[in-house]
């Protein structure tokens, strides 16, 4: 009887795959992984435990797991040019929580970006930082440049003396002032943590700032946004003492089973990044800039026109004149264009369900092989749907037609359909 439900679930998932195969997936925090990454995600590692360190586990049966995790460590050090890597956090949020717990205690202050200025919830009192009991204060923000206001924030840091200076963001258009924050951190004995979740693939491809070299003590990240991995988190540092503290907070602190199949797949994605990362990251940034400029020329209020719109994979648009982020994101979804509504700095946090903005990321469509020409086509589709009010069904059909030419994943070792559903034969 319940097999009917199983069939139903599989069909729903197949429909989901078909939907994405005919859509423009432009959520800035997502990506598709290669068939090799997906193959490894489905391996037997997903059934195992490997508590402890490589070569020194609390469980037997870890010989091959050790072999793979040694590769994760070696490739991470090479790709990110770092001395120490803690690859076991199972998400970006857990990586942040571990890093915060390693260097601060209940009641200590941390300065970060507020959510409306682009910060992630884990940087604030409603999530990881709050669970740890950190006292959160916020950077002063320069809305014109969509970046931290350095002078005003330095003044605030001198007065407030936070224990953690937390950089990085979810709405992350331009590199953050790491060098300046490290200098003041030295002055007040603070730790600079840089959350690279959004831009890890761009850092790996050498097309964004180099947070460790610029002075961050610790870099935390997820490995599935601009990066090619399955979902998961990691932490890097060049400081041995900090590494030891971080490591303890990860295990036994926050992770028992570190989702070994995801870490094996991370190994594959590290190799993919070493091989293809630079070419991919360059194209991501070219695509973001091209799309931003085309949208701006059509009359959209793309943020930061005086500063080149973006240096990352993201674009932010104020769509309040078009009815707000909620209405616009839903209209785009009906035309198979998937973006998210987003708070902008001038929004009241209470407006989170209908903020002024939308956020767009081009990393996934870049991985599908799209280039400048497609960005121009997409900008025109946005204009026809949202400004000229052409019908959703007409634009949807054009999206489906456009996607017919981009069925494969690029920047990887094998050619395979992007949104294929790997179906096993089931005997009833
Ligand atoms: C800047 C930033 N940090 C952390 C996270 C959380 O990552 P995860 O979803 O892996 O917990 C996100 C997620 O979007 C993010 O944008």
């Amino acid at each position: 009887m319940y097999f009917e439900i199983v069939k139903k679930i599989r069909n729903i998932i197949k429909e989901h795959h078909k939907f994405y195969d005919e859509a423009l997936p432009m959520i800035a925090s997502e990506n598709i992984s290669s068939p090799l990454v997906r193959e490894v995600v489905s391996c037997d590692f997903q059934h195992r435990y490997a508590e402890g360190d490589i070569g020194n586990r609390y469980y037997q049966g870890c010989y091959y797991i050790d072999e793979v995790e040694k590769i994760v460590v070696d490739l991470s050090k090479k790709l990110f040019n770092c001395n120490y890597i803690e690859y076991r956090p199972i998400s970006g949020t857990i990586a942040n929580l571990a890093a915060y717990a390693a260097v601060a205690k209940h009641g200590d202050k941390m300065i970060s970006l507020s959510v409306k200025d682009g910060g992630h919830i884990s940087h604030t009192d409603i999530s990881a930082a709050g669970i740890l009991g950190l006292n959160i204060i916020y950077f002063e923000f320069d809305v014109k440049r969509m970046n931290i206001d350095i002078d005003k924030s330095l003044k605030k840091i001198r007065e407030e003396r936070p224990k953690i200076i937390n950089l990085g963001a979810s709405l992350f258009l331009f590199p953050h002032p790491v060098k300046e924050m490290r200098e003041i951190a030295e002055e007040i004995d603070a730790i600079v943590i840089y959350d690279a979740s959004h831009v890890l693939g761009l850092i790996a491809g050498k097309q964004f700032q180099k947070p460790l070299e610029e002075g961050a003590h610790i870099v935390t990240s997820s490995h599935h946004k601009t990066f090619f991995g399955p979902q998961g988190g990691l932490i890097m540092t060049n400081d041995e003492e900090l590494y030891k503290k971080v490591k303890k907070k990860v295990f036994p602190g926050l992770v028992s089973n570190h989702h070994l199949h995801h870490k094996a797949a991370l190994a594959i994605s590290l190799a993919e990044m070493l091989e293809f990362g630079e070419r991919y990251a360059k194209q991501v940034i070219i695509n973001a800039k091209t799309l931003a400029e085309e949208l701006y020329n059509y009359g959209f209020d793309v943020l930061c026109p005086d500063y080149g719109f973006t240096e990352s994979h993201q674009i932010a648009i104020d769509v309040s004149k078009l009815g707000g982020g909620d209405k616009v994101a839903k209209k785009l979804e009906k035309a198979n264009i998937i973006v998210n509504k987003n708070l902008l700095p001038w929004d009241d946090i209470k407006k989170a369900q209908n903020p002024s903005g939308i956020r767009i990321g081009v990393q996934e469509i870049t991985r599908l092989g799209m280039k400048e020409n497609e960005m121009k086509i997409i900008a025109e589709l946005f204009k026809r749907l949202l400004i000229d009010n052409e019908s959703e069904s007409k634009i949807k059909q054009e999206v489906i037609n456009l996607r017919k030419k981009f069925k494969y994943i690029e920047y990887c070792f094998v050619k395979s359909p992007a949104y294929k559903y790997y179906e096993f034969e089931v005997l009833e």
Side-chain angles (χ1 to χ4, degrees), residues 29 91-93 96 120 122-123 169-170 195 197-198 222 224-225:
S29 54
S91 73
T93 301
N96 281 339
H120 184 251
S122 61
H123 307 165
S170 298
D195 181 343
S197 291
H198 262 272
S222 55
H224 53 264
K225 301 184 194 295

Side-chain angles (χ1 to χ4, degrees), residues 8 79 127 408:
K8 185 175 170 189
L79 181 62
S127 176
Y408 292 91

Side-chain angles (χ1 to χ4, degrees), residues 36-99:
L36 295 174
V37 164
R38 279 186 261 170
E39 177 194 77
V40 168
V41 166
S42 71
C43 80
D44 180 67
F45 283 24
Q46 72 186 286
H47 310 120
R48 307 298 156 204
Y49 270 86
E51 286 182 355
D53 295 331
I54 296 169
N56 185 25
R57 307 284 191 179
Y58 293 91
Y59 286 68
Q60 299 315 120
C62 297
Y63 175 79
Y64 297 104
I65 293 161
D66 281 351
E67 289 293 294
V68 171
E69 293 189 2
K70 265 185 229 156
I71 297 175
V72 172
V73 171
D74 290 346
L75 294 187
S76 300
K77 286 184 183 172
K78 185 175 161 88
L79 181 62
F80 298 113
N81 194 22
C82 67
N83 293 341
Y84 303 99
I85 175 88
E86 172 50 82
Y87 58 90
R88 291 174 297 182
I90 57 168
S91 73
T93 301
I94 295 294
N96 281 339
L97 189 51

